[in-house]
Amino acid sequence: MSSTAELLKGAAELFPDEVVTTAHVRHLDLPQGAGRFALITLDNGLDHTKPTTFGPQSLARLDAALDRVAAEAEAGEIVGVGLTGKPFVFAVGADLKGVALLKTRDQALAIGRGGHEVFRRLAALGVPTFAYYNGAAMGGGVEAGLHCTYRTVARQLPAFALPEVFLGLVPGWGGCALLPNLIGADRAVQVIVENALSQNRMLKGPQVYELGIADAIFDSADFLEQSLLWTSAVLRGEIEVARPEPDRGEAWDLAVERGRAFADSKVHGAAPAAYRALDIVAQARNGDLRAAFDAEDRALADLIMGEELRSGIYAFNLVQKRGKRPAGAPDTSLARPVTKVGVVGAGLMASQLALLFVRRLQVPVVLTDIDQERVDKGVAWVHEQIDFLLLKGRITQDTANRLKALVTGELDKAAAFSDADFVIEAVFEEMGVKRQVFAELEAVVPEHAILATNTSSLSVTEMASELTRPERVVGFHFFNPVAVLPLLEVVRAERTDDASLATAFAVAKQLKKTAVLVKDAPAFVVNRILTRFMGEVLRSIDEGTPVEVADRALAPLGLPMSPIELLELVGPAVAHHVGGTLHAAFPERFSVSPNLDRVVKAGKKTFYVHDSGKPELDPEVAALFETGDTVLSEEQVRDRALSAIAEEIGLMLREGVVAEAQDIDLCLITGAGWPFHLGGITPYLDREGISERTVGARFLPRGVASVPES
């Protein structure tokens, strides 16, 4: 086997553009005469907005620092070694840019082994080692600390996680082996699998301590000073760190079983990472760390060479990079300030928008509706939600008082909006109603005010067509629930000008939304794709395929919910309305399901009942159905739905609905919750050969969201 230095040298040659993390060694005398101490600080030389990562050269720098302190420990010159990070950041794991460049399994195996070989030295120095989690710690950063003898954590630390499973990897530098042996399998499964698959949920400093990952917790203001005092006390025997022995009996097996059930509920077996991680946790039960580390190496190598990980990295980069720099957005200098917001409507959607605007922009927000009762109800709902935030400790009493004072209601649009800079309508989804609202608004708002519509499917151009100044109208389509789904489709109508569009993007950024520029085309992006795929599922049911068969058809993709569950979430009436809009625009591809029409006319809001604890078709809905006798298999329904999606995406790209396929994927990830392991959808369609079969070419070049050719 190659030496660590050789492994890392070979890997470094593949990744010449690595942002290198140095490992600075400095020496100090511990308080109260505890002895000479070596402190290693991980730092990439950039500020906290560019977190410290581990690529091959970075691991080599840490390895060299450990050579130095190992020699000092052997010579009796130091009594311990500490590991910490630059301000606000400990370290956030492997550099994913480098992972994406790997072309062979041997290269992938070298990365796993190289990380293990370096980090394992922290446990074998001959003197106690201490990790001081001073700031954000993720992935390999967390794992470096797990190899140390002791750990402290900053109370104000905002983000601590093992996110690998979320991306399609396993914690492969010790996480799967060490964490369950430190805090028990039950808690380790929570951190490794459950948190990762719950939209990459982060731990904060106090949780890290409560879980037993850290042995002590100190305030950030004097974190390092207090950590060194604590280190001194430990080394002098004044403090003894007691850790409960993990339960290696039935509880370990039950934790792994729970993790598998949780993974099934989230990815339905469609992505392998969670299951590989749980296999290693199960293997680590006997405490044989060497065997578990070898299993981590093998899992890392297999997953790095798998398409799900490449899709996961692609999706991660879309959200973190493209999502923050929207393609096609005008120059930000054109944006106008927004000091007051108007919301037309006071129903649930409008009230959610009012809450979001007041929380993020902290400017006056005024709601209107057709009668005082509705206005009062909408304002009361926003105030109630602010009180809930206060109860949860998310905001202070002063903030709650200020936010509630900023949200008001007013029946008279002229009084409400005469000084508003940005007015958004969230009224009934009917063109005549929306055109009337815009006509009323244009008569009362200032010359510079932006008029935005939250329409989900209607033409923004047509909505603005009778206005004197249609250039200030933009589509601003949120997804429900507004507080949860990040996507905001920003629609440029035919006459929308750059200043209005720039202002819309600036507001979207203040709202902390992922804004994607879309052309004014029927149903824009997400609803167009979902309606097309839903239409194929409903068509198969109309033709005679049992509902439960059609509903299971997409399960192998690991989508967040089945087609019928999605239909129920959206609401049959809303889905039927959007379907009708698209049928009118594209009758040859979008059909209106006669059975869905009957369900809507009967006033049914769901297809399933849950009386037995599992979903079953509501007998009243079944009685409404009239079907043919063509019964398809799950595979046939899935192929039909995916081919339809591929065709629709091809047409959307040809029409210029978005700039590139990447924007389609970004929309599905952030607006519909489609999983990272699919990369949205186009990487999956490419790797299954559906793109080429349906539209004659891949949507993405080989090597983008897929393993590059070696």
Side-chain angles (χ1 to χ4, degrees):
M1 186 182 292
S2 302
S3 70
T4 302
E6 289 170 332
L7 285 174
L8 295 176
K9 184 173 182 292
E13 289 170 359
L14 298 169
F15 187 20
D17 298 326
E18 176 186 350
V19 176
V20 179
T21 295
T22 56
H24 302 287
V25 180
R26 63 187 175 105
H27 295 85
L28 50 92
D29 293 317
L30 287 171
Q32 300 172 326
R36 192 80 170 154
F37 190 74
L39 181 65
I40 301 172
T41 302
L42 303 170
D43 191 346
N44 61 6
L46 303 170
D47 67 21
H48 67 279
T49 63
K50 301 288 190 297
T52 306
T53 54
F54 293 115
Q57 294 181 66
S58 304
L59 288 171
R61 298 284 182 94
L62 178 57
D63 194 45
L66 292 172
D67 282 342
R68 177 178 172 184
V69 297
E72 292 168 351
E74 190 173 353
E77 296 169 6
I78 55 173
V79 295
V81 175
L83 185 67
T84 193
K86 67 182 184 182
F88 309 110
V89 177
F90 181 79
V92 298
D95 191 320
L96 292 176
K97 294 192 297 295
V99 173
L101 296 172
L102 301 176
K103 296 180 179 180
T104 69
R105 192 177 186 280
D106 284 347
Q107 292 169 349
L109 200 57
I111 287 294
R113 285 179 177 159
H116 267 132
E117 293 303 319
V118 174
F119 287 178
R120 283 173 57 199
R121 298 187 68 191
L122 288 162
L125 284 176
V127 293
T129 50
F130 298 78
Y132 305 136
Y133 291 126
N134 64 300
M138 295 174 213
V142 168
E143 290 172 298
L146 293 177
H147 283 270
C148 294
T149 322
Y150 304 100
R151 286 156 294 282
T152 67
V153 67
R155 194 180 308 278
Q156 287 74 28
L157 181 147
F160 183 103
L162 290 172
E164 288 86 350
V165 165
F166 176 69
L167 295 171
L169 280 172
V170 298
W173 286 341
C176 291
L178 293 169
L179 192 62
N181 279 286
L182 176 67
I183 62 174
D186 188 68
R187 291 177 167 187
V189 165
Q190 175 193 329
V191 175
I192 294 169
V193 173
E194 294 175 0
N195 286 1
L197 291 181
S198 297
Q199 293 300 308
N200 198 19
R201 183 186 298 144
M202 297 284 154
L203 300 172
K204 297 190 183 301
Q207 294 169 298
V208 175
Y209 176 63
E210 288 158 14
L211 284 169
I213 300 172
D215 303 302
I217 183 168
F218 304 110
D219 284 333
S220 294
D222 57 352
F223 173 70
L224 185 57
E225 180 185 353
Q226 292 300 320
S227 292
L228 291 171
L229 280 167
W230 182 84
T231 297
S232 171
V234 169
L235 290 174
R236 288 182 290 106
E238 183 181 307
I239 291 176
E240 183 177 343
V241 175
R243 300 188 187 117
E245 181 64 25
D247 185 335
R248 300 183 188 278
E250 186 182 9
W252 197 288
D253 294 334
L254 289 174
V256 172
E257 285 177 26
R258 190 189 79 241
R260 292 193 200 285
F262 189 86
D264 286 342
S265 74
K266 290 291 187 178
V267 300
H268 313 286
Y275 304 98
R276 293 296 296 267
L278 289 163
D279 287 344
I280 301 167
V281 171
Q283 180 179 339
R285 174 179 175 172
N286 63 7
D288 184 346
L289 295 180
R290 165 58 84 175
F293 290 163
D294 288 344
E296 288 179 344
D297 287 341
R298 292 192 298 273
L300 265 188
D302 291 343
L303 292 168
I304 286 172
M305 298 314 296
E307 300 289 1
E308 290 86 2
L309 171 68
R310 303 308 172 114
S311 293
I313 294 173
Y314 163 80
F316 180 81
N317 286 333
L318 286 182
V319 172
Q320 295 298 317
K321 295 177 181 174
R322 193 177 185 94
K324 292 173 181 174
R325 290 187 288 276
D331 192 299
T332 55
S333 66
L334 297 173
R336 296 189 287 261
V338 172
T339 60
K340 182 179 179 180
V341 172
V343 180
V344 183
L348 182 58
M349 189 66 181
S351 300
Q352 289 185 75
L353 296 181
L355 177 64
L356 179 68
F357 275 96
V358 76
R359 282 197 70 197
R360 299 297 187 213
L361 272 62
Q362 301 202 5
V363 299
V365 176
V366 59
L367 296 95
T368 67
D369 213 311
I370 57 175
D371 59 53
Q372 192 65 47
E373 182 182 352
R374 292 178 194 207
V375 171
D376 292 344
K377 186 178 178 182
V379 172
W381 185 89
V382 177
H383 286 188
E384 185 180 71
Q385 296 304 307
I386 292 169
D387 286 333
F388 281 144
L389 292 169
L390 175 62
L391 279 173
K392 292 175 184 174
R394 303 270 294 278
I395 57 175
T396 65
Q397 183 68 61
D398 283 349
T399 300
N401 293 342
R402 187 170 70 255
L403 293 180
K404 285 199 282 189
L406 288 170
V407 180
T408 58
E410 173 64 63
L411 265 181
D412 182 353
K413 289 186 177 67
F417 303 142
S418 62
D419 57 347
D421 306 302
F422 190 101
V423 182
I424 184 167
E425 66 77 20
V427 300
F428 185 65
E429 188 77 348
E430 200 277 315
M431 181 60 74
V433 175
K434 291 183 183 288
R435 285 171 74 160
Q436 180 185 340
V437 165
F438 273 166
E440 292 171 359
L441 289 175
E442 188 172 52
V444 299
V445 300
E447 284 286 308
H448 67 274
I450 304 298
L451 300 180
T453 171
N454 185 46
T455 182
S456 60
S457 61
L458 300 177
S459 168
V460 181
T461 300
E462 184 180 345
M463 219 175 285
S465 62
E466 295 181 359
L467 298 181
T468 305
R469 294 196 51 208
E471 69 276 5
R472 57 174 168 171
V473 177
V474 297
F476 219 55
H477 180 216
F478 292 86
F479 289 78
N480 204 5
V482 170
V484 176
L485 290 173
L487 179 63
L488 181 53
E489 290 177 335
V490 179
V491 186
R492 180 170 208 156
E494 285 180 12
R495 296 177 64 180
T496 306
D497 64 21
D498 282 352
S500 300
L501 198 62
T503 305
F505 274 102
V507 170
K509 186 174 183 179
Q510 286 181 278
L511 295 175
K512 299 186 178 178
K513 290 296 181 182
T514 300
V516 175
L517 178 63
V518 304
K519 182 181 175 181
D520 187 17
F524 316 125
V525 175
V526 173
N527 284 345
R528 181 165 166 181
I529 291 172
L530 294 186
T531 302
R532 182 78 199 274
F533 119 85
M534 182 75 71
E536 295 301 324
V537 173
L538 290 172
R539 184 159 68 93
S540 70
I541 294 170
D542 292 343
E543 291 173 355
T545 302
V547 172
E548 59 273 16
V549 173
D551 200 28
R552 284 196 305 266
L554 279 296
L557 276 71
L559 298 176
M561 57 188 70
S562 73
I564 300 300
E565 288 173 330
L566 175 62
L567 183 67
E568 293 184 332
L569 177 69
V570 171
V574 173
H576 189 46
H577 177 82
V578 175
T581 301
L582 283 160
H583 174 67
F586 310 115
E588 70 284 1
R589 299 195 311 281
F590 289 84
S591 58
V592 175
S593 164
N595 283 317
L596 181 59
D597 185 60
R598 293 184 193 98
V599 169
V600 172
K601 285 177 178 172
K604 299 295 292 184
K605 292 184 168 35
T606 61
F607 273 53
Y608 289 144
V609 291
H610 299 265
D611 298 340
S612 64
K614 62 180 182 179
E616 295 176 348
L617 186 63
D618 184 337
E620 293 181 12
V621 170
L624 295 168
F625 277 18
E626 296 176 16
T627 61
D629 55 8
T630 301
V631 179
L632 301 181
S633 67
E634 290 178 26
E635 292 76 13
Q636 288 171 317
V637 176
R638 180 166 60 253
D639 184 68
R640 178 189 276 188
L642 290 173
S643 297
I645 290 173
E647 180 188 26
E648 205 60 36
I649 291 171
L651 290 166
M652 292 165 72
L653 293 173
R654 206 173 307 150
E655 293 166 19
V657 175
V658 290
E660 294 180 289
Q662 285 90 331
D663 293 313
I664 300 270
D665 293 322
L666 182 59
C667 285
L668 286 171
I669 292 163
T670 57
W674 282 31
F676 271 36
H677 69 259
L678 294 180
I681 188 60
T682 68
Y684 181 85
L685 296 172
D686 283 349
R687 72 174 180 249
E688 294 296 314
I690 298 168
S691 310
E692 292 186 68
R693 190 184 76 215
T694 306
V695 300
R698 295 171 63 91
F699 288 118
L700 300 169
R702 196 171 296 279
V704 175
S706 58
V707 177
E709 293 176 336
S710 56

